[in-house]
Amino acid sequence: MSRTDADATSDEESRIVVYAVPFVGVLLIAAGIPSAILGGYVVVQDSLGLCSDPDVTVTPLEDEEADTPRETVERLPYDRLSPAEQAAVREAIDGPTDDATVEGGLENRDTLREGVIVDVDGRSYYVTIASLNSCLEAEPLLFPIGVVAILLGIVGVLTPPIYRRMAGFEERMKRRPPRE
């Protein structure tokens, strides 16, 4: 191989190391950050209380509101509610606020999400889900994958300065006179 072929090969290596490797490193960092955040959040969300049982809001209806037929709002008999839903409705009616947490099975989730009229002890109430507070579903393995991607990205971004230092060291070693 002649000197010009070696220079061309070295120049091509230099371009790849200086431009392509840091670009791939930045892409790895950009993909790793959201993966690590999402994976980490999934791991700790339950222990930090960031997801919990849903809340229902119970609003008493005036007599004329309850008697007016509504085509868009469904009526649901109180006995068709699950025991957890019944307890939450009772708690909301008897409590100082109009909402309560459903601690247990939410069998009428879709119906309550739309809002229903429920008759309790001869009085009509509009019952709806105020918040679901559901846990985020994702693979916990995203956290370590994201961290590894970030670390590999950092190595890729730091490759050009390291390459330049190593090339400078190699040049100095070539110019150095041999030891006697």
Side-chain angles (χ1 to χ4, degrees):
M1 214 157 62
S2 69
R3 179 75 177 140
T4 58
D5 289 341
D7 286 343
T9 304
S10 175
D11 196 34
E12 182 67 25
E13 279 181 9
S14 177
R15 283 192 189 121
I16 289 173
V17 169
V18 172
Y19 298 111
V21 173
F23 178 71
V24 171
V26 168
L27 290 178
L28 283 172
I29 292 171
I33 288 173
S35 297
I37 290 171
L38 186 63
Y41 179 76
V42 167
V43 171
V44 300
Q45 68 182 343
D46 196 30
S47 61
L48 294 178
L50 299 173
C51 56
S52 61
D53 296 323
D55 295 334
V56 293
T57 299
V58 179
T59 308
L61 299 176
E62 300 299 323
D63 292 334
E64 59 272 359
E65 289 178 321
D67 293 337
T68 305
R70 290 184 169 81
E71 294 78 31
T72 58
V73 180
E74 181 179 331
R75 282 192 174 271
L76 184 67
Y78 181 75
D79 57 349
R80 280 199 33 219
L81 294 174
S82 71
E85 293 166 345
Q86 288 178 0
V89 168
R90 281 279 181 202
E91 181 182 336
I93 291 170
D94 296 338
T97 62
D98 289 343
D99 58 348
T101 302
V102 180
E103 297 173 357
L106 190 64
E107 296 170 10
N108 297 300
R109 177 183 305 265
D110 294 333
T111 309
L112 290 173
R113 190 178 284 171
E114 295 294 322
V116 295
I117 296 175
V118 178
D119 292 321
V120 181
D121 298 332
R123 184 115 196 252
S124 295
Y125 297 91
Y126 179 72
V127 180
T128 187
I129 293 179
S131 68
L132 287 174
N133 301 332
S134 58
C135 289
L136 180 65
E137 299 287 329
E139 292 297 322
L141 192 59
L142 283 175
F143 180 71
I145 289 172
V147 170
V148 168
I150 292 169
L151 293 175
L152 287 174
I154 290 171
V155 168
V157 169
L158 294 178
T159 297
I162 294 170
Y163 177 75
R164 283 188 216 110
R165 283 192 179 205
M166 294 304 288
F169 178 73
E170 189 177 316
E171 284 296 318
R172 285 193 305 273
M173 292 306 289
K174 285 181 184 176
R175 284 188 265 141
R176 187 179 203 187
R179 290 189 178 189
E180 295 180 21

